[in-house]
Amino acid sequence: MLILGIESSCDETAAAVVEDGRRILSSVIASQIEEHRIYGGVVPEIASRRHSEAIVGVVREAMEQSGKTWKEIDAIAVTCAPGLIGALLVGVNFAKGLSLSTGLPLIPVHHLRGHIAANYLTSPDLEPPFLCLVVSGGHSHIISVKSYTELQVLGRTRDDAAGEAFDKAARAMGIPYPGGVELDKIAEGGNERAYRLPHPKVEGAPLDFSFSGLKTAVINLLHNASQKGESISVPDLCASYRRAVVDCLTENFQKAADETGAKKLVIAGGVSANRLLRREVAALAEKTGRTLYMPELSLCGDNAAMIASQGYYEFLAGNTAGMDLNAAAQCDIAQRPAVGRKL
Ligand code: KG4
Ligand code: ZN
């Protein structure tokens, strides 16, 4: 079965054609990062406009690169939640138009379910059940993936997401957006024991995360140093900060793995590209005799191949949508998006 996937939840306009949820025939991504960089973060209004401009070309390119005709495509999958509402609406409405004109089924896909599915593309042998750490710019979840479409959130962040925590701390250190990526590179050359930073815990919820205090600790440290005229080693601070964030993630991930007895560990989302996180979860899996799956680096960030992959499994589960499909800025990963009636 061939699925055309469409993604526009944040600052990447993407389209891809994927076969049977596992084989990428084409994947095209138009990034807007350069344009948002001068503002230090994604400007929603600009994101929506750029998606509108890019989407026709990106879908056309994905179709051309796949070598398939519209007659050979079986369904259209689109990210409908969560994300920036104006950005999501561009993809959703475009997909509805395509579905209407071609008569192909329309499949709504939860963006984070898509991130998890990036692993189905990377590892053809991976099948649920497994335990997944989903870490992106907007979310940090520990999820029990019981089947392709049945997911249970075991832990979540109470404030900032891991990616957001990296980006905000990087910004405080003067590293341009998206700082998480650059902070990770700089940290490789730093001493992670140079600065003592807290490892915040959430009282009564051992699997939940809290990163805002850690970010504030870095901002205070930078303020105090500048008031005293002391210099800060950016590589050392990046390394110490990255160590603290990754420790919080892996400690809770291990607790969840122990509690659930999970044999397979999976990571997903933009932050799953983080070098230290990849090394630490690999060590955790090795130490505890579990199998680890990680998305290949090109599939960690936002792309449409992961949406087409998850779309395949949503389709098999009967989760298609009608012409009144709407986008939602927020949506629990455990729930099916509100798909409305078939019109
Ligand atoms: O999943 P994603 O591409 O978009 C969302 O769904 O949010 O995640 C983007 C986030 C950004 O916060 C970015 O800074 C972070 O992932 N990120 C990283 C790395 N690569 C991307 N954070 C830490 N280390 C990295 N190597
Ligand atoms: Zn994402």
Side-chain angles (χ1 to χ4, degrees):
M1 181 176 186
L2 289 182
I3 297 194
L4 169 73
I6 295 175
E7 155 65 37
S8 71
S9 67
C10 190
D11 58 349
E12 261 100 25
T13 319
V17 177
V18 171
E19 188 177 25
D20 295 338
R22 298 277 176 166
R23 199 166 77 85
I24 301 175
L25 301 190
S26 66
S27 179
V28 177
I29 304 171
S31 173
Q32 312 168 359
I33 279 183
E34 289 308 322
E35 199 159 351
H36 296 289
R37 184 167 283 143
I38 50 167
Y39 303 102
V42 177
V43 182
E45 172 80 14
I46 295 177
S48 310
R49 290 169 187 273
R50 294 298 163 265
H51 286 309
S52 291
E53 289 165 7
I55 196 151
V56 172
V58 167
V59 170
R60 217 172 244 162
E61 180 83 23
M63 284 300 296
E64 264 167 34
Q65 284 185 16
S66 74
K68 301 291 177 187
T69 62
W70 279 106
K71 285 209 168 69
E72 292 171 284
I73 300 292
D74 297 295
I76 296 158
V78 63
T79 306
C80 65
L84 301 171
I85 192 70
L88 286 164
L89 280 167
V90 175
V92 165
N93 282 317
F94 192 79
K96 282 164 77 167
L98 279 178
S99 169
L100 195 61
S101 58
T102 56
L104 293 172
L106 179 65
I107 311 165
V109 176
H110 190 288
H111 181 75
L112 295 183
R113 291 190 183 199
H115 272 301
I116 297 170
N119 286 282
Y120 304 142
L121 296 167
T122 304
S123 306
D125 60 321
L126 174 63
E127 284 177 14
F130 54 80
L131 187 71
C132 189
L133 176 68
V134 185
V135 273
S136 71
H139 298 84
S140 301
H141 287 340
I142 296 176
I143 293 171
S144 168
V145 180
K146 296 173 187 295
S147 77
Y148 290 105
T149 52
E150 240 181 300
L151 301 93
Q152 185 190 357
V153 178
L154 304 180
R156 62 175 76 231
T157 184
R158 294 296 181 100
D159 39 58
D160 294 346
E164 193 182 359
F166 275 123
D167 293 342
K168 286 181 176 170
R171 190 176 182 173
M173 289 184 235
I175 301 168
Y177 178 85
V181 185
E182 207 50 39
L183 186 151
D184 185 27
K185 276 190 215 149
I186 298 170
E188 291 289 294
N191 171 9
E192 62 183 31
R193 292 200 183 83
Y195 297 99
R196 279 178 65 85
L197 292 169
H199 283 51
K201 302 249 181 297
V202 180
E203 280 253 335
L207 300 184
D208 282 359
F209 306 106
S210 170
F211 294 115
S212 68
L214 191 48
K215 169 200 68 193
T216 309
V218 164
I219 293 170
N220 289 344
L221 195 145
L222 289 163
H223 269 297
N224 289 342
S226 91
Q227 274 171 355
K228 289 182 194 155
E230 288 170 6
S231 67
I232 288 278
S233 158
V234 172
D236 288 354
L237 187 54
C238 285
S240 305
Y241 186 77
R242 183 178 68 164
R243 167 53 65 189
V245 172
V246 169
D247 278 352
C248 291
L249 292 173
T250 47
E251 276 165 26
N252 288 13
F253 196 34
Q254 171 152 17
K255 264 184 242 158
D258 292 344
E259 271 177 29
T260 57
K263 303 237 178 341
K264 289 183 257 180
L265 302 182
V266 177
I267 62 171
V271 182
S272 65
N274 187 270
R275 292 164 174 86
L276 182 65
L277 180 64
R278 289 174 90 92
R279 292 198 287 269
E280 289 298 308
V281 289
L284 163 66
E286 166 127 31
K287 190 177 72 188
T288 59
R290 295 179 168 106
T291 314
L292 174 68
Y293 299 85
M294 301 190 277
E296 65 173 66
L297 289 176
S298 64
L299 293 171
C300 289
D302 289 346
N303 64 84
M306 67 188 199
I307 301 304
S309 171
Q310 181 61 24
Y312 173 72
Y313 295 104
E314 298 289 349
F315 183 82
L316 294 185
N319 297 339
T320 54
M323 278 299 125
D324 57 350
L325 173 67
N326 203 348
Q330 289 178 2
C331 174
D332 197 311
I333 193 170
Q335 267 153 23
R336 272 183 70 199
V339 294
R341 291 162 292 128
K342 294 245 188 308
L343 295 180

